[in-house]
């Protein structure tokens, strides 16, 4: 018989449902990996196989991360790449990344996922686009299994090296036929399209400046033939837009449109520099955006027009982006940054006047926004028949003391904390603030040893 679990007495339960209900004294009743009931504790069953009391906690849907490069957790804060913008930053890091090994892919995946889970994330995508020294996406998938995180693995690729006018060194690019062949293999072996799926494969050439037009088109055909999604980087900064105009004679959004890279089965990272026609194209076609505020600030890329995107009806989720340009994988922190950065762009005389982006809108991006971007209707909010992906934050932390007038807003207005409880697919993966699926100190030690070897050659 499937086991039942009762979470009860939360100070506030944030449902993110259609009415955006917040329930004082709320709880959730779960059977297996499925939510059966959501409501005030009195209206839920009185007992279950396991009961967890959440007095003093905010309980909410797990956060969804829509863009990352987990291997980069090995190259956080590398001195030569600390203060450079996108293209110089890449040139400083490519030679280091060329030394990555399968073991490094596995350990960095676990490290990134441990950090994500502790920060409230229950579903993440990752964009892995280089496979040196025998590395395969299989290494990452194997590591992901050990963490308990719900995972969308984007099989990235680069095919245009320096000698062909691209940015990456030739040693990091792959032949286009083998990219497509391997991506198809991964979809056939690992892609699970079912409801509550823990593992999906995404077709994801790295960026328009590192692959050919032909590969972008073939990737779109492959994704449509296999009902998988498409993901890449787009319009990240002014240089990126200039490259698009020079190399392809059109804006990034027009280029994406011309390749079939628009639609509800496509999401692009960044889109900081989408122009008005581009915003209209994305809105009309339901093309998604992974907004990565920390990375955009770190690389001085600019401020993505999130409010304008939402006004166009564009699905927007949040991404922490790779850890060499953030350098953290803290999802709650990313939601806070999205809220704060949006305010820098706020026009007191504009159409939004006078309302700035609030904590709840930022949390919406981090939950239902991300779920929509990843093409999922089974995660992102709490309601009967949704997946049991939930997180709880302990309001008794000193960081929240004095902020309990609005505990939900406190999660974003106060310094971002880590979860005390995380449940993914009905499985408790963090309890009392401790990660149960991995030995965090041992993992950090391994990661540091490998990072030292990677960066110092
Ligand atoms: Zn990225």
């Amino acid at each position: 018989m499937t086991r039942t679990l009762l979470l009860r007495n939360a100070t506030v339960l944030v449902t993110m449902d259609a009415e955006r209900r917040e329930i004082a004294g709320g709880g959730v009743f779960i059977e297996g990996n499925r939510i059966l009931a959501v409501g005030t504790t009195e209206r839920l069953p009185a007992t279950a196989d396991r009961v967890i009391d959440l007095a003093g906690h905010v309980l909410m849907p797990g956060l969804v991360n829509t863009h990352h490069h987990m291997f980069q957790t090995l190259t956080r804060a590398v001195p030569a790449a600390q203060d450079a913008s996108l293209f110089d930053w890449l040139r400083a890091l490519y030679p280091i990344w060329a030394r990555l090994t399968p073991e490094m892919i596995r350990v960095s995946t676990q490290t990134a996922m441990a950090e994500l889970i502790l920060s409230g994330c229950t579903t993440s995508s990752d964009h892995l686009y280089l496979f040196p020294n025998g590395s395969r996406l299989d290494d990452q998938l194997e590591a992901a299994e050990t963490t308990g995180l719900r995972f969308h693995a984007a099989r990235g690729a680069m095919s245009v090296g320096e000698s062909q006018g691209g940015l990456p060194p030739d040693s990091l690019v792959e032949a286009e036929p083998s990219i497509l062949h391997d991506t198809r293999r991964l979809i056939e072996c690992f892609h699970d399209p079912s409801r509550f799926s823990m593992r999906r494969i995404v077709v994801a050439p790295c960026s328009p400046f590192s692959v050919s037009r032909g590969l972008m088109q073939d990737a779109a055909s492959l994704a449509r033939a296999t009902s998988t999604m498409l993901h890449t980087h787009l319009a990240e900064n002014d240089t990126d837009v200039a490259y698009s105009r020079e190399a392809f004679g059109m804006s990034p959004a027009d280029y994406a449109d011309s390749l079939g890279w628009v639609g509800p089965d496509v999401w692009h990272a960044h889109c900081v520099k989408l122009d008005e026609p581009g915003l209209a194209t994305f809105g009309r076609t339901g093309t998604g955006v992974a907004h990565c505020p920390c990375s955009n600030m770190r690389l001085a890329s600019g401020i993505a027009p999130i409010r304008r995107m939402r006004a166009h009806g564009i699905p927007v989720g949040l991404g922490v982006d790779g850890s060499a340009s953030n350098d953290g994988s803290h999802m709650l922190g990313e939601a806070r940054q999205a809220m704060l950065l949006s305010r820098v762009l706020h026009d007191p005389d504009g159409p939004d006047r006078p309302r700035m982006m609030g904590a709840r809108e930022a949390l919406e991006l981090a939950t239902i926004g991300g779920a929509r971007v990843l093409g999922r209707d089974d995660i992102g909010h709490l309601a009967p028949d949704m997946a049991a992906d939930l997180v709880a934050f302990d309001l008794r932390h000193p960081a929240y003391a004095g902020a309990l007038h609005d505990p939900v807003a406190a999660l974003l207005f106060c310094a971002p904390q880590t979860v005390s409880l995380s449940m993914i697919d009905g499985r408790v993966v963090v309890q009392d603030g401790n990660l149960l699926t991995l030995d965090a100190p041992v993992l950090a030690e391994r990661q540091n040893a490998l990072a030292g070897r990677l960066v110092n050659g």
Side-chain angles (χ1 to χ4, degrees):
M1 225 180 79
T2 316
R3 282 174 62 83
T4 54
L5 192 145
L6 174 66
L7 305 176
R8 67 179 184 199
N9 293 329
T11 303
V12 190
L13 167 67
V14 180
T15 64
M16 282 291 164
D17 64 8
E19 292 85 44
R20 301 290 185 273
R21 283 183 306 151
E22 293 179 5
I23 303 170
V28 179
F29 187 73
I30 293 154
E31 186 179 62
N33 62 355
R34 188 183 305 266
I35 294 174
L36 289 189
V38 172
T40 55
T41 299
E42 305 85 71
R43 298 180 70 108
L44 296 173
T47 188
D49 294 324
R50 183 173 178 191
V51 178
I52 299 177
D53 195 277
L54 290 171
H57 288 73
V58 174
L59 177 61
M60 58 184 280
L63 309 181
V64 180
N65 178 38
T66 60
H67 188 64
H68 206 323
H69 311 287
M70 296 182 182
F71 70 89
Q72 295 179 8
T73 53
L74 291 158
T75 54
R76 307 192 218 219
V78 167
Q82 279 175 17
D83 306 318
S85 62
L86 178 66
F87 283 20
D88 287 335
W89 171 89
L90 283 170
R91 285 191 194 95
L93 290 167
Y94 280 143
I96 299 175
W97 295 338
R99 293 193 287 265
L100 280 164
T101 64
E103 184 189 15
M104 291 174 184
I105 298 289
R106 287 194 293 271
V107 174
S108 59
T109 294
Q110 288 179 319
T111 300
M113 289 187 173
E115 190 184 1
L116 282 168
I117 290 171
L118 286 167
S119 74
C121 180
T122 53
T123 297
S124 183
S125 183
D126 188 55
H127 193 186
L128 179 55
Y129 54 82
L130 34 83
F131 300 91
N133 309 307
S135 304
R136 303 194 306 164
L137 194 80
D138 312 50
D139 301 311
Q140 176 167 58
L141 293 167
E142 185 188 299
E145 287 259 335
T146 65
T147 69
L149 189 68
R150 202 181 289 281
F151 187 39
H152 288 219
R155 202 295 187 187
M158 300 193 291
S159 65
V160 181
E162 261 173 331
S163 63
Q164 305 299 312
L167 204 64
D170 289 354
S171 68
L172 280 178
V173 305
E174 298 172 85
E176 297 193 342
S178 51
I179 292 169
L180 290 164
H181 184 266
D182 189 53
T183 308
R184 182 179 285 281
R185 174 188 71 83
L186 290 160
I187 293 167
E188 284 165 2
C189 294
F190 298 110
H191 181 67
D192 174 6
S194 69
R195 193 167 165 83
F196 297 175
S197 165
M198 290 294 285
R199 187 172 60 202
R200 291 196 180 158
I201 303 293
V202 178
V203 183
C206 183
S207 66
F209 58 80
S210 56
V211 302
S212 74
R213 187 188 295 255
L215 183 67
M216 293 295 283
Q217 286 165 330
D218 290 345
S221 303
L222 174 61
R224 281 165 187 146
T226 54
S227 300
T228 50
M229 290 189 74
L230 287 164
H231 180 51
T232 193
H233 294 90
L234 201 78
E236 184 163 351
N237 66 6
D238 288 329
T239 324
D240 194 3
V241 175
Y243 182 92
S244 178
R245 291 203 176 279
E246 196 183 314
F248 315 121
M250 48 188 130
S251 73
D254 285 347
Y255 183 57
D257 195 7
S258 76
L259 299 166
W261 272 74
V262 292
D265 57 347
V266 185
W267 87 102
H268 295 276
H270 304 301
C271 300
V272 172
K273 300 289 180 179
L274 270 193
D275 54 11
E276 274 300 326
L279 291 171
T281 301
F282 272 46
R284 193 184 66 248
T285 56
T287 309
V289 169
H291 173 43
C292 307
C294 286
S295 173
N296 297 159
M297 288 187 274
R298 159 78 147 86
L299 296 173
S301 299
I303 306 173
I306 296 310
R307 273 293 181 73
R308 292 222 311 281
M309 288 179 186
R310 282 164 64 80
H312 277 277
I314 299 173
V316 179
L318 297 182
V320 298
D321 201 5
S323 288
S325 70
N326 182 330
D327 302 5
S329 309
H330 200 300
M331 263 311 287
L332 186 68
E334 204 67 33
R336 170 177 160 84
Q337 291 294 4
M339 177 182 83
L340 296 177
L341 186 60
S342 147
R343 293 174 176 217
V344 179
L345 210 59
H346 181 74
D347 175 4
D349 301 317
D352 292 339
R353 185 172 55 97
R355 200 173 65 84
M356 298 181 189
M357 184 185 286
R360 287 166 175 82
E361 187 177 346
L363 283 176
E364 196 176 299
L365 295 174
T367 52
I368 42 184
R372 187 175 166 207
V373 164
L374 294 186
R376 298 200 67 133
D377 61 4
D378 53 350
I379 59 169
H381 71 272
L382 304 181
D385 210 33
M386 295 292 286
D389 287 10
L390 310 100
V391 293
F393 291 89
D394 188 345
L395 293 166
R396 294 163 296 189
H397 192 285
Y400 300 127
L404 300 188
H405 333 286
D406 186 346
V408 179
L411 295 182
L412 270 72
F413 277 88
C414 303
Q417 301 301 310
T418 51
V419 294
S420 76
L421 175 83
S422 173
M423 173 184 292
I424 305 175
D425 206 44
R427 174 188 184 194
V428 175
V429 294
V430 176
Q431 193 177 353
D432 301 324
N434 297 309
L435 186 60
L436 304 181
T437 49
L438 296 165
D439 186 334
V442 170
L443 178 62
E445 203 173 312
R446 277 185 78 198
Q447 166 94 344
N448 283 323
L450 292 172
R453 211 197 299 164
L454 179 67
V455 173
N456 302 320

